[in-house]
Structure formats: C-alpha cells, structure tokens
Amino acid sequence: MNDTVFGFIGLGLIGGSIARGIKRAMPEAKIMAYMRTRSKLEQAQSDGIVDVILDGVGEPLLECDIIFLCTPVEYNAQYLASIRPYMKAGAILTDVGSTKTNIPEVVEELSMEEYFIGGHPMAGSEKTGYENSTDHLLENAYYIITPTSETKQTEIDRMIAIAERIGSIPIVLDYHEHDRIVAAISHLPHIVASSLVNLVRQSDNESLLMKRLAAGGFKDITRIASSSPVMWEQICMTNRDNLVDMLDAYISYLQEILLDLRSQDSESIYNLFDTSRTYRNSFLDKPKGSVAPDYTFTVDIVDEPGAISTLSVILSARGISICNIGINHNREHGEGALKITFYDEAAMNAAWDALKKYNYELIKIQ
C-alpha cells in the first residue's frame, strides 16, 4: 500500500487532512492534487504533502489508484463526467461530502458504479482551508463508507484499510441511511444553532446585553454556528428531503414543549430534561463528530497580578502548549474564572495533572 498513488481534486481542510494523514502513515505514497488556488498547492508541495501539482483534470490521473473528490458537495457531482475518462481499471473514486444521495445518482448515469465508493469523514472544524488541515484531524473520527450496489468487497476493504491507516474508525452504510442519520445529528443541529444565534441577535436590546452576557451553555450549543455559510447552504440543499423531515419533526416536538409550558405541566418538562440527560450521558466520548471536540477545563484562580503568568510557566516548563486562555466572564454553571483550551486530549490531561500538583482547583467542562 505504501506505493499507492493518490489523486486529490480539492485540497481544503478535509482533503488536506486526509493527504497529511496518508503521508504520515505511508511516506512513500505518491500524492497528486488539483485545486483552483495554486498557491495552496505550492504550499502543500513545500510541506512535502503533495508530490505532483496538477493543472486540472487530465491524463496524469490515469496513474492514480485512488482519487479523492474533496470539493464542496455541490461541485463533486460535476467533476464526475470529466474524471470518467481517466479512471484506470481497478481504481477507486471516492468523495468526502457529508451528503450522499445526489452523487450516486450521477454515478449511475455515468455507469461509474464499479469505480465509485462514497466516503464521509465525520470530523471538521469551524476553520476551513488547507492551511488549517492537520495529519491528525481524522484520528478516532468515524469514516463512513457508502458503496454502490456494484462495489466489490475487495474495494470496500481497500477503503476500510485507508481509513484505518489515517487513524479513523470506518463504518460501512447504505447511502440513504447515511443521509437520514446526518440530517438528524449534524445538519439539523447547525440549523438550530444558527437560528438560535439569530433569535438572540433579533431579540437583544440597544445595549446588547444578551450578546455581552452570552456564555456557558449558549456558547457551547451555538459554536457550530461559526461554520462556513457557503458549505452549509450546499449541504442543506443537497440533503433537503431528509432535513425537511427532521426539521418538521423537531418543530412538532418544540410545539409540544410550548404547550407543556403554557399548561404548566411540570412533569412533562421534568421528563424532557431527565430523558435527554440520560440519553446524552450514554454517548461515547472518544469519537469526534462533525466539529472537533473542545479540550478545555477551567481554573478557580484569584484575579491578581502574576496569577496567569505563574500558571503559564508551570505548563511551559513541562512542554505543554496552550491553544487559548482567557477570563471566563459568565460562570453560572460553576466554572472557574480562567478557561484554558488545549490542542489535544493528551495535553489537556498532562496540564490537569501538573496543575493539580500545585493545588489548583480545576473544573472539567462537560
């Protein structure tokens, strides 16, 4: 597998992270890539990730064993016809889009079922672009694989092996089932988060107190509202039917909650929070969702000169890097005054252990 030739059409956050993961796991693999912004391809080549910069879709792709379509979901299907003449026998064409229903239809029209295997790495970030890609973004993230009716098991196994080599957890699903699932757990939450932010924006007063005081739970559940509007407009449109069904069901459920509040049905309101807490607490912590997890805890620290510097020196002396540090202005849920975010779980755990030795009072954010 180390001598596999990979092609990338698009090299943004996900495509770049897959390419980086491949180079880390298989240094001898050859990667060729095309995207409209040539300067980013040149940067990827300078980074040692891309070996061959392509000028477009053409004959060099005949060398590829696996081609990744990593453009926005709206454009992936449009590339299929141009790529079709350059698929060699036994090659695999896959995508990384978070919706799957539309592209298999085009694959079938072009008689490309034997080549195509859909893919959806369930990881991401509010940030976009190759410059924000990492070789570990997809580690411990579910990598959904959606074969066609004509995909051979040997080809599915090849995709499973690639996903595993870059540290992901592969799951094989029917693409219809995939789109219904992500409508509920990924696409609807983005609509809810964005609509809630806009509700607060429209409801705030002239002094913008809602915006000023927003923290804690509000920031947690609306973090994904910072994602790319272009990308999410395309995702919603390409998974419209499933999303309409889920949104309709959610609105009906909200109407039930509204009626319970109006009728002062305290038992139903209690059950709302009790059942959701029980179900939420049953979720696994390790795999990433569509947005990378937040490795954060807070510190109950006195606001005095040198307090933050002392803490920073303790962590720096142990080689622990801090992603972000700041004052937690809203601590209604019992958090500490200082909020510290780390790049990964290992750094967070190491920092926790180090500060505990100095008797800092630390609070984990659930």
Side-chain angles (χ1 to χ4, degrees), residues 117-338:
I117 304 176
H120 176 202
M122 298 191 73
S125 168
E126 297 93 332
K127 298 179 180 180
T128 59
Y130 170 79
E131 61 274 18
N132 292 302
S133 63
T134 71
D135 64 2
H136 56 273
L137 180 69
L138 276 65
E139 283 187 344
N140 299 315
Y142 288 127
Y143 197 119
I144 309 301
I145 297 169
T146 57
T148 70
S149 60
E150 296 186 20
T151 305
K152 298 176 182 177
Q153 185 60 48
T154 53
E155 305 308 300
I156 296 174
D157 291 341
R158 286 172 66 193
M159 280 303 302
I160 289 174
I162 293 296
E164 290 177 338
R165 290 292 291 273
I166 62 176
S168 298
I169 304 168
I171 294 179
V172 180
L173 286 178
D174 173 79
Y175 68 86
H176 294 102
E177 182 181 10
H178 166 273
D179 280 6
R180 181 177 178 277
I181 290 172
V182 295
I185 66 169
S186 177
H187 306 165
L188 178 60
H190 275 80
I191 288 181
V192 171
S194 297
S195 60
L196 181 56
V197 169
N198 281 333
L199 176 64
V200 169
R201 178 179 60 84
Q202 294 165 5
S203 304
D204 212 351
N205 56 26
E206 292 182 359
S207 60
L208 301 179
L209 276 174
M210 287 187 181
K211 179 180 180 181
R212 183 178 178 183
L213 298 176
F218 182 83
K219 282 191 174 180
D220 289 341
I221 66 174
T222 59
R223 183 166 58 94
I224 54 178
S226 297
S227 300
S228 165
V230 173
M231 178 181 73
W232 280 99
E233 178 267 333
Q234 292 175 351
I235 288 173
C236 287
M237 291 299 100
T238 53
N239 200 23
R240 183 178 61 87
D241 291 343
N242 285 302
L243 191 49
V244 165
D245 289 343
M246 288 296 172
L247 187 56
D248 188 48
Y250 183 59
I251 291 171
S252 296
Y253 190 51
L254 289 177
Q255 290 286 358
E256 292 179 14
I257 297 171
L258 177 61
L259 290 174
D260 291 336
L261 284 170
R262 282 178 171 165
S263 63
Q264 300 184 51
D265 187 346
S266 60
E267 182 178 356
S268 293
I269 297 302
Y270 174 85
N271 287 334
L272 163 69
F273 293 111
D274 184 49
T275 56
S276 63
R277 180 185 65 171
T278 300
Y279 186 61
R280 175 62 177 80
N281 288 345
S282 71
F283 290 2
L284 295 175
D285 293 329
K286 294 298 182 182
K288 299 177 183 178
S290 60
V291 178
D294 196 11
Y295 301 110
T296 300
F297 61 74
T298 62
V299 185
D300 191 7
I301 191 172
V302 177
D303 185 6
E304 59 185 14
I308 296 179
S309 297
T310 300
L311 185 148
S312 299
V313 167
I314 292 172
L315 299 182
S316 177
R318 288 158 178 77
I320 301 170
S321 296
I322 296 174
C323 176
N324 197 12
I325 188 169
I327 302 299
N328 190 16
H329 291 291
N330 187 324
R331 298 187 288 276
E332 61 184 358
H333 298 292
E335 302 98 333
L338 193 67

Side-chain angles (χ1 to χ4, degrees), residues 9-35:
I9 307 300
L11 200 71
L13 176 70
I14 298 300
S17 295
I18 293 174
R20 288 180 185 275
I22 288 171
K23 275 295 187 180
R24 181 191 63 182
M26 297 170 277
E28 301 305 314
K30 182 177 181 180
I31 293 179
M32 54 180 65
Y34 165 73
M35 68 184 306

